């Protein structure tokens, strides 16, 4: 008799989900954000279809404002997995030069929410894997593993299908699509433990190192591209070198750094367990429009 | 905050995190996983209890706590105290209503286990959510308000949990603080519940006196307030109860094939999640339903080949022989394969606003098998409050009943009581794609392997070749009086002039013979169409060009018939005539009778006609004469060979 650990069971569940999607969807894609959850999801995909490469492409909905380290890992990961990498940058956002400083919430809306819809429509994907977890945020706790979106990518919490056992209904009408969350039942700690156990490469920004930082509107940020910051902010921010790391990764002018000395996986996990602020707090997105921010974004088509 | 006595085991981990993170991670790398559900009536304090579990196992962070404290003061129901329920209630609309309306999943862990909690609603109309939460749970916590005792909902929740195969039940007698922690009150509730449980067939349950609000007997027992209680705390119990996954390993090997892995000509692996038993290289296996046998060559994973894999693992298996095996098949122990059947008795939980239609074809998904299935008129509906069997003609949203299920081809299964993974299925509406029911197979009504197709020497291709034509079914649909029969007649006459072999099945004529036992209720109409479809199929097999003229008002039934045929063989012809035109014609005087109330269920009057979305051919009888319509149809189906 062999007792499976919680990580083994979570792994088996995620792999089962991915294989169901590949078997039943016409044209699946994996949304790849380059963060630690994406890294785990990609690793699970490699395991699910080994020795074949995962039979779908990776899609990065880019804002052009990600950290340089992220772009590096993106290329390397896709290559190592033997997968096609698609990068989508919303042409309208590009043309209007939408940036996090001048345009506030519009930055996320145009580059990410609109960009994602455009990319899915452009390529005609009918199923998209996302790395969201139910423990991240209250409205996600109620999200199904297979989440249905209307032809306009809307999410209606009342219209979601009941999900029984591990029998997933992937049928949909023309134009409709599904977002699939294979990591639904993982917690942040599970993700870290799995990264450790499986030796998964993640962006080095998760580990503390001396980095050029600046303070903006009370938050601590890393000056990943000083020239560009100067261009957009109108002045060079005041740079101080600090030992920092990131709990979550997004656009560098929007992702708060935390001062830290944790430079190994074990130390990062230790800090995570002892820390007193929850994960998404470093990201500005949830705090728009009060507590219902994420739920509203989801109804509009944000992941 | 907590009023429990003794040392709190859940808090001890903290020091280890700070002092020796490696040791802590080691310990937590190897935890088990238990999934459970909590269910109770609206005010039993479910959300508060779960909030308390998260809080006590340090699963909330400081910023969440700060907003929790602020929210508690603003909208909380506990005065100035922390309202744990607010931690758990998620969607904005629900927060305003003050009730939980969906299934929400929560996570917490202790030293020994990680837990996934399905928080399921107490409102009666939301049975489907509780069934959803229960389907993946190993254990159910049934909450009872100590002041109110066992209620109708308590029975409902227990029945559903039992029906869904949950073997471990916890009777959580909550709000003990509001009955002064009275042992008498607790004992009475346990005794009342015991009577009901026995009736239901529940062999054992664990009763715990709790206060989610005050924290009694949550992490340590007995609390100072309940010195008379001799059982485990809730956490103790959750940490020690046996996980269903372990029991599955003791059964014979089964793995539904999800996906065939073929990276190159030299590698062919079968990917799937092992539902039962264990497997090793060299083990003899049988592929069902084909029955071919082989042995396991290797168990492939990215981390290397395995010596053994067990129930609950996702693997890729290679076999020694090149045998036919694909998605929907199952690899099973050679000496004890599962049965296959196409007729079952099943327990169904109806989950759609649209009631079940006996005879209608739905998609049935069980494991990796997808088939077309119909549900017969229920044998009975279960009153989940009293366990009475009620007579029923259909199943409505949230009702539970027992009925026969027929599938269009045999499926491999185990009774649900033996294996959830191989006995649990969903039904999907063929038009809306909604999941309309959850089903649990009880037993097979006959062994399908006794039924063989009679092989014939003269095939349908022979029949067709002899008649020098491509057999087809021209399916005319439209309102009564739209001109279906008239146009079909004209088409047949022309085809005969062209030396084609045809047959016209007309609605009225069929009802005088083959279907004279059927009336005009929805169920009878569905059966009428099904029989016509089957007869038409035999005629198409015989090489004929068949025309049918039936109102056939429902999309789902036309789709059902369409699926009996090969692609391009079924041609749907929509005879499009506005209701007022058909009613004005009223050739048979039927509209008049229907308007007068003498005819019930008359299409267009008191029964709907669902227009085709994508009929192959559409004829408009207002603009076209009968001859023009017939010519148009012939032109569309050329060439005939």
């Amino acid at each position: 008799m062999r007792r499976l650990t919680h990580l083994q069971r979570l792994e088996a569940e995620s792999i089962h989900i991915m294989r169901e999607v590949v078997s039943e969807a016409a044209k699946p894609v994996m949304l790849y954000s380059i963060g630690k959850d994406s890294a785990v999801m990609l690793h699970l995909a490699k395991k699910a279809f080994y020795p074949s490469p995962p039979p779908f492409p990776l899609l990065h909905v880019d804002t052009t404002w990600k950290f340089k380290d992220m772009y590096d890992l993106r290329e390397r990961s896709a290559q190592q997995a033997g997968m096609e990498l698609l990068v989508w940058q919303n042409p309208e956002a590009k043309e209007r030069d939408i940036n996090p400083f001048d345009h506030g919430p519009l930055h996320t809306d145009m580059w990410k929410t609109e960009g994602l819809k455009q990319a899915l429509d452009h390529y005609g994907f009918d199923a998209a894997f996302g790395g969201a977890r139910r423990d991240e945020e209250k409205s996600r706790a109620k999200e199904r593993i297979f989440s249905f979106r209307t032809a306009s990518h809307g999410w209606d919490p009342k219209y979601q299908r009941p999900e029984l056992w591990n029998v997933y209904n992937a049928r949909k009408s023309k134009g409709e699509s599904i977002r699939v969350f294979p990591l639904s039942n993982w917690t942040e700690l599970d993700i870290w433990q799995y990264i450790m156990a499986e030796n998964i490469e993640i962006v080095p920004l998760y580990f503390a190192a001396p980095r050029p930082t600046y303070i903006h509107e009370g938050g601590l940020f890393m000056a990943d591209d000083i020239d560009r910051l100067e261009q957009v902010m109108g002045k060079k921010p005041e740079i101080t070198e600090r030992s920092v790391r990131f709990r979550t990764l997004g656009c560098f002018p929007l992702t708060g750094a935390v001062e830290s000395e944790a430079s190994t996986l074990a130390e990062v996990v230790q800090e995570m367990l002892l820390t007193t602020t929850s994960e998404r707090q470093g990201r500005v997105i949830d705090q728009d429009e009060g507590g219902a921010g994420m739920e509203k974004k989801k109804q509009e088509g944000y992941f | 905050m907590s009023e429990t006595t003794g040392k709190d085991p859940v808090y001890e981990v903290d020091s280890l995190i700070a002092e020796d993170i490696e040791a802590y991670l080691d310990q937590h790398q190897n935890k088990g996983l238990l999934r459970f559900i909590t269910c109770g009536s609206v005010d039993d304090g479910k959300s508060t209890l779960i909030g308390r579990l998260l809080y006590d196992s340090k699963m909330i962070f400081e910023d969440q706590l700060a907003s929790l404290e602020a929210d508690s003061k603003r909208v909380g129901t506990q005065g100035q105290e922390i309202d744990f329920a607010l931690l758990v209630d998620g969607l904005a609309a629900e927060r305003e209503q003050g009730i939980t309306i969906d299934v929400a999943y929560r996570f917490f862990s202790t030293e020994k286990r990680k837990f996934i909690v399905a928080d399921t609603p107490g409102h009666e109309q939301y049975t489907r959510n509780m069934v959803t939460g229960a389907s993946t749970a190993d254990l159910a916590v049934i909450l009872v308000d100590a002041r109110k005792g066992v209620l109708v909902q308590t029975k409902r929740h227990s029945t559903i949990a039992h029906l869904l195969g949950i073997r471990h039940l916890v009777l959580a007698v909550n709000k003990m603080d509001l009955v002064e922690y009275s042992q008498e009150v607790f004992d009475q509730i346990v005794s009342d519940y015991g009577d009901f449980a026995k009736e239901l067939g529940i062999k054992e349950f664990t009763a715990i006196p709790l206060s989610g609000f005050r924290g009694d007997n949550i992490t340590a027992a007995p609390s100072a307030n309940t010195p008379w209680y001799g059982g485990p705390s809730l956490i103790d119990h959750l940490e020690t109860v046996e996980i269903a996954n372990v029991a599955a390993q003791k059964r014979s090997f089964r793995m539904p094939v999800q996906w065939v892995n073929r990276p190159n000509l030299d590698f062919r692996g079968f990917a799937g999640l092992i539902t039962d038993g264990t497997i090793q290289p060299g083990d003899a296996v049988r592929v069902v339903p084909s029955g071919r046998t082989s042995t396991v060559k290797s168990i492939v994973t990215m981390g290397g080949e395995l010596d053994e894999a067990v129930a609950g693992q996702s693997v890729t298996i290679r076999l020694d022989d090149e045998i036919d095996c694909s998605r929907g098949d199952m690899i099973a122990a050679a000496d004890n394969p599962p049965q296959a059947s196409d007729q079952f008795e099943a327990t169904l939980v109806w989950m759609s606003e649209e009631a079940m239609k006996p005879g209608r074809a739905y998609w049935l998904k069980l494991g990796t098998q997808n088939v077309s299935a119909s549900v017969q008129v229920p044998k009975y509906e279960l009153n989940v409050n009293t366990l009475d069997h009620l007579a029923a003609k259909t199943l409505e949203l949230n009702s539970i009943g027992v009925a026969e299920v027929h599938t269009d081809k045999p499926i491999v299964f185990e009774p649900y009581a033996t294996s959830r993974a191989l006995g649990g299925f969903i039904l999907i509406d063929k038009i809306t794609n909604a999941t309309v029911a959850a089903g649990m197979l009880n037993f097979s009504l006959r062994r399908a392997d006794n039924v063989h197709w009679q092989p014939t020497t003269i095939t349908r291709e022979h029949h067709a070749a002899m008649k020098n034509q491509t057999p087809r079914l021209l399916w005319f649909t439209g309102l009564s009086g739209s001109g279906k029969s008239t146009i079909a007649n004209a088409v047949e006459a022309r085809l005969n002039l062209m030396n084609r072999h045809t047959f016209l099945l007309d609605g009225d004529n069929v009802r005088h013979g083959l279907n004279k036992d059927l009336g005009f209720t929805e169920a009878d109409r569905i059966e009428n169409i099904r029989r016509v479809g089957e007869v038409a199929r035999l005629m198409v097999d015989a090489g004929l060009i068949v025309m049918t003229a039936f109102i056939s008002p429902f999309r789902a039934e036309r789709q059902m018939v369409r699926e009996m045929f090969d692609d391009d063989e079924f041609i749907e012809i929509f005879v499009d005539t506005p209701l007022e035109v058909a009613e004005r014609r009223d050739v048979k005087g039927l509209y008049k009778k229907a308007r007068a109330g003498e005819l019930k269920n008359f299409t267009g009057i008191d029964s709907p006609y669902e227009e085709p979305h994508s009929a192959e051919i559409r004829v408009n009888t207002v603009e076209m004469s009968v001859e023009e319509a017939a010519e148009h149809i012939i032109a569309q189906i050329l060439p005939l060979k």
Side-chain angles (χ1 to χ4, degrees):
Chain A
M1 203 56 40
R2 187 183 301 182
R3 265 197 40 222
L4 298 180
T5 68
H6 69 295
L7 287 179
Q8 284 173 314
R9 284 185 63 189
L10 290 171
E11 177 188 78
E13 180 186 66
S14 301
I15 289 175
H16 174 258
I17 291 165
M18 290 182 184
R19 288 168 172 173
E20 280 300 289
V21 172
V22 161
S23 302
E24 300 209 339
K27 198 174 176 189
V29 67
M30 178 168 282
L31 298 181
Y32 180 65
S33 73
I34 331 173
K36 64 183 195 313
D37 302 292
S38 274
V40 166
M41 184 164 66
L42 175 57
H43 184 79
L44 288 164
K46 291 199 274 188
K47 284 191 134 182
F49 303 102
Y50 176 87
S52 296
F56 40 79
L58 291 173
L59 171 65
H60 181 224
V61 179
D62 191 16
T63 64
T64 73
W65 286 95
K66 303 292 175 189
F67 293 88
K68 188 177 168 301
D69 278 355
M70 293 173 72
Y71 291 121
D72 291 347
L73 182 65
R74 181 183 77 183
E75 304 300 321
R76 200 161 56 246
S77 296
Q79 202 170 28
Q80 280 168 4
M83 296 166 78
E84 186 189 0
L85 172 68
L86 305 171
V87 176
W88 185 268
Q89 298 171 345
N90 180 350
E92 199 192 333
K94 214 166 171 177
E95 197 189 315
R96 290 170 59 187
D97 198 22
I98 300 295
N99 68 67
F101 297 97
D102 300 331
H103 304 103
L106 191 65
H107 171 77
T108 304
D109 182 61
M110 296 261 314
W111 285 111
K112 293 182 78 176
T113 312
E114 286 306 314
L116 174 62
K117 290 187 211 171
Q118 287 171 354
L120 296 178
D121 289 343
H122 176 82
Y123 293 106
F125 293 122
D126 65 338
F129 293 108
R133 308 186 317 266
R134 284 171 174 157
D135 80 323
E136 276 176 84
E137 202 266 339
K138 267 193 278 193
S139 89
R140 287 209 162 135
K142 309 200 169 191
E143 180 68 278
R144 304 289 194 269
I145 292 174
F146 281 51
S147 175
F148 281 78
R149 304 302 160 104
T150 59
S152 55
H153 300 280
W155 177 76
D156 181 354
K158 294 217 163 64
Y159 187 65
Q160 298 299 312
R161 299 168 178 175
E163 216 163 62
L164 293 119
W165 304 289
N166 59 2
V167 185
Y168 305 105
N169 173 2
R171 290 179 190 270
K172 58 208 167 304
S173 302
K174 211 169 156 55
E176 293 174 343
S177 59
I178 4 172
R179 311 283 160 89
V180 183
F181 305 108
L183 305 181
S184 286
N185 287 325
W186 295 60
T187 61
E188 190 183 6
L189 179 58
D190 297 330
I191 294 285
W192 283 116
Q193 286 184 316
Y194 193 70
I195 288 170
M196 221 182 254
E198 298 279 308
N199 204 12
I200 299 168
E201 183 180 6
I202 52 173
V203 182
L205 296 165
Y206 284 111
F207 304 107
R211 296 189 167 101
T213 63
Y214 65 96
I215 307 280
H216 182 71
E217 290 176 357
L220 177 62
F221 297 94
M222 174 181 165
D224 196 53
D225 184 340
I226 299 178
D227 295 341
R228 199 169 173 202
L229 279 174
E230 188 184 356
Q231 235 174 41
V232 177
M233 296 169 91
K235 61 171 178 40
K236 216 180 201 103
E238 196 179 315
I239 305 294
T240 313
E241 192 176 89
R242 295 182 174 89
S243 178
V244 295
R245 66 178 193 89
F246 295 85
R247 307 195 56 217
T248 142
L249 294 176
C251 296
F252 69 84
L254 286 177
T255 311
V258 287
E259 291 202 66
S260 165
E261 298 295 331
S263 60
T264 66
L265 268 175
E267 284 166 6
V268 168
V269 175
Q270 182 174 37
E271 209 172 80
M272 193 273 291
L273 289 171
L274 295 176
T275 200
T276 48
T277 42
S278 69
E279 185 178 5
R280 296 186 70 87
Q281 205 209 16
R283 270 200 236 177
V284 192
I285 194 164
D286 283 355
Q287 284 152 17
D288 304 342
E289 300 155 56
M294 180 58 81
E295 188 181 334
K296 189 158 173 291
K297 288 212 150 49
K298 238 161 51 172
Q299 286 174 355
E300 289 162 0
Y302 178 74
F303 224 70
Chain B
M1 176 61 41
S2 165
E3 293 185 15
T4 53
T5 54
K7 203 163 176 215
D8 220 332
V10 183
Y11 292 120
E12 275 177 22
V13 291
D14 271 10
S15 57
L16 197 55
I17 293 172
E19 285 156 19
D20 190 349
I21 183 68
E22 306 276 354
Y24 172 85
L25 288 172
D26 252 16
Q27 192 183 78
H28 281 252
Q29 204 75 261
N30 297 309
K31 282 188 286 196
L33 172 64
L34 182 82
R35 299 186 67 142
F36 69 95
I37 61 166
T38 54
C39 27
S41 310
V42 180
D43 299 318
D44 290 338
K46 261 189 343 276
S47 296
T48 304
L49 179 69
I50 296 172
R52 163 70 71 174
L53 290 172
L54 302 185
Y55 183 83
D56 281 358
S57 60
K58 299 270 162 118
M59 293 307 282
I60 40 180
F61 295 104
E62 197 173 82
D63 60 327
Q64 289 177 328
L65 191 60
S67 79
L68 174 66
E69 279 167 358
D71 283 357
S72 297
K73 288 189 184 125
R74 201 164 52 81
V75 291
T77 57
Q78 305 293 343
Q80 289 297 304
E81 305 234 27
I82 291 182
D83 187 351
F84 291 107
L86 293 177
L87 257 186
V88 176
D89 288 341
L91 301 183
E94 305 168 32
R95 254 168 99 164
E96 280 152 29
Q97 288 173 357
I99 47 165
T100 317
I101 59 165
D102 209 335
V103 192
Y105 296 90
R106 308 287 163 188
F107 307 86
F108 70 98
S109 55
T110 64
E111 281 172 83
K112 298 195 181 103
R113 277 184 180 168
K114 166 180 166 145
F115 298 96
I116 302 179
V117 191
D119 180 14
T120 57
H123 258 220
E124 192 152 348
Q125 63 267 42
Y126 291 117
T127 294
R128 72 175 217 170
N129 294 333
M130 175 172 169
V131 169
T132 303
S135 73
T136 49
D138 294 326
L139 176 146
V141 176
I142 311 266
L143 273 127
V144 172
D145 184 331
R147 295 170 303 173
K148 295 178 185 160
V150 176
L151 299 178
V152 165
Q153 287 97 320
T154 315
K155 295 182 177 177
R156 186 179 187 89
H157 298 146
S158 305
T159 306
I160 294 172
H162 184 64
L163 207 63
L164 267 287
I166 296 178
R167 303 229 160 85
H168 304 287
L169 289 183
V170 174
L171 180 70
V173 182
N174 197 24
K175 303 198 180 180
M176 286 299 291
D177 51 319
L178 299 182
V179 294
E180 284 141 18
Y181 297 99
S182 158
Q183 180 177 8
E184 203 179 318
V185 170
F186 177 74
D187 288 346
Q188 184 58 48
I189 291 173
V190 174
S191 153
D192 289 349
Y193 187 79
D195 293 342
F196 176 73
K198 204 167 169 187
E199 204 183 327
L200 193 57
I202 294 172
K203 292 197 184 69
E204 52 181 354
F205 63 92
T206 304
I208 307 176
L210 294 174
S211 168
F213 181 50
R214 296 280 169 203
D216 295 274
N217 296 326
I218 304 282
T219 54
S223 79
N225 295 313
T226 57
W228 43 266
Y229 173 63
S233 70
L234 180 59
I235 290 284
D236 279 341
H237 185 65
L238 295 175
E239 280 183 337
T240 50
V241 78
E242 189 198 43
I243 297 174
N245 196 248
V246 174
Q249 288 183 34
K250 297 170 191 161
R251 300 196 287 265
S252 290
F253 176 74
R254 270 118 184 72
M255 187 190 87
V257 175
Q258 270 189 292
W259 188 72
V260 180
N261 195 341
R262 257 215 115 166
N264 54 57
L265 288 177
D266 302 324
F267 187 99
R268 189 153 162 267
F270 304 102
L273 175 66
I274 301 174
T275 59
D276 300 88
T278 62
I279 191 81
Q280 297 179 339
D283 283 357
V285 290
R286 188 182 296 269
V287 175
V288 277
S290 78
R292 295 288 304 274
T293 56
S294 185
T295 48
V296 175
K297 181 179 187 176
S298 57
I299 305 165
V300 180
T301 73
M302 195 167 84
E305 294 190 355
L306 302 181
D307 298 332
E308 187 192 44
V310 303
Q313 282 182 292
S314 282
V315 294
T316 299
I317 289 177
R318 298 181 77 186
L319 300 179
D320 275 325
D321 307 276
E322 280 277 321
I323 56 175
D324 204 28
C325 181
S326 56
R327 178 173 170 84
D329 291 339
M330 191 186 297
I331 299 178
D335 56 356
N336 184 23
Q339 358 165 14
S341 179
D342 58 1
Q343 291 192 11
F344 306 91
E345 187 201 274
T347 303
L348 294 169
V349 182
W350 205 256
M351 299 186 150
S352 166
E353 307 256 332
E354 195 182 335
M356 183 253 270
K357 290 205 174 32
R360 167 166 290 184
Y362 298 97
W363 294 120
L364 181 153
K365 186 174 181 191
L366 187 154
T368 60
Q369 302 173 99
N370 274 296
V371 295
S372 187
S374 62
V375 184
Q376 309 307 302
V377 175
K379 290 182 176 165
Y380 61 85
E381 183 184 332
L382 184 70
N383 179 327
V384 285
N385 304 324
T386 61
L387 305 181
D388 287 341
H389 293 185
L390 311 172
K393 290 201 167 112
T394 179
L395 294 174
E396 309 270 351
L397 176 65
N398 286 321
S399 56
I400 297 174
V402 169
E404 277 186 28
V405 174
H406 297 179
T407 58
D408 68 343
K409 58 178 188 184
I411 52 173
V412 178
F413 77 103
E414 296 275 10
Y416 186 80
T418 309
S419 169
R420 273 182 170 187
L422 305 181
F425 63 88
I426 57 172
L427 292 180
I428 300 167
D429 186 286
K430 288 191 173 185
I431 303 290
T432 65
N433 292 318
T435 301
V436 293
M440 289 149 283
L441 292 182
N442 299 332
F443 50 82
S444 161
L445 292 165
R446 65 170 184 200
R447 289 184 68 94
D449 40 19
N450 294 334
V451 184
H452 293 285
W453 285 105
Q454 185 62 41
T456 47
T457 321
I458 306 299
T459 64
R460 62 202 312 262
E461 286 75 23
H462 285 108
H463 291 299
M466 219 171 345
K467 295 186 177 63
N468 191 34
Q469 63 185 24
T470 309
R472 285 200 186 89
L473 170 59
L474 308 182
W475 185 276
F476 290 78
T477 171
L479 292 169
S480 172
S482 60
K484 297 179 299 296
S485 298
T486 315
I487 296 171
N489 253 308
V491 170
E492 186 174 33
R494 279 167 182 262
L495 288 172
N496 276 281
L497 287 174
M498 297 158 84
N499 285 321
R500 302 299 161 179
H501 301 260
T502 59
F503 196 88
L504 172 60
L505 277 164
D506 182 81
D508 292 340
N509 300 342
V510 170
R511 279 194 175 272
H512 287 142
L514 176 66
N515 290 352
K516 72 175 174 190
D517 57 325
L518 300 177
F520 287 89
T521 63
E522 213 157 71
D524 279 359
R525 286 177 157 215
I526 293 170
E527 176 60 12
N528 182 41
I529 296 303
R530 189 192 69 78
R531 289 187 198 172
V532 170
E534 291 289 357
V535 171
R537 182 162 72 163
L538 292 173
M539 291 182 165
V540 168
D541 280 351
L544 298 175
I545 297 174
V546 182
M547 276 141 284
T548 58
F550 294 82
I551 298 172
S552 46
F554 304 122
R555 258 173 231 131
E557 279 61 62
R558 298 194 297 263
Q559 181 64 25
M560 167 180 78
V561 177
R562 183 183 286 271
E563 279 157 18
M564 294 175 187
F565 292 84
D566 289 344
D567 293 346
D568 304 331
E569 228 170 41
F570 178 91
I571 296 165
E572 187 172 6
I573 301 171
F574 177 31
V575 182
D576 188 2
T577 305
L579 178 63
E580 58 278 12
V581 177
E583 189 167 355
R584 212 177 315 128
R585 292 180 189 155
D586 205 4
V587 190
K588 300 169 198 158
L590 296 173
Y591 283 97
K592 208 182 216 167
K593 281 193 195 167
R595 289 288 183 200
E598 293 164 32
L599 266 182
K600 288 279 169 236
N601 300 317
F602 194 76
T603 302
I605 307 297
D606 58 347
S607 180
Y609 177 78
E610 299 171 0
E611 288 192 6
H613 287 317
S614 50
E616 277 79 2
I617 302 174
R618 179 175 161 275
V619 289
N620 183 324
T621 66
V622 178
E623 291 163 9
M624 292 178 180
S625 68
V626 172
E627 290 307 314
E628 282 168 349
E631 257 169 50
H632 176 70
I633 291 165
I634 300 273
Q636 302 287 310
I637 60 171
L638 291 172
L640 295 170
K641 162 79 190 140

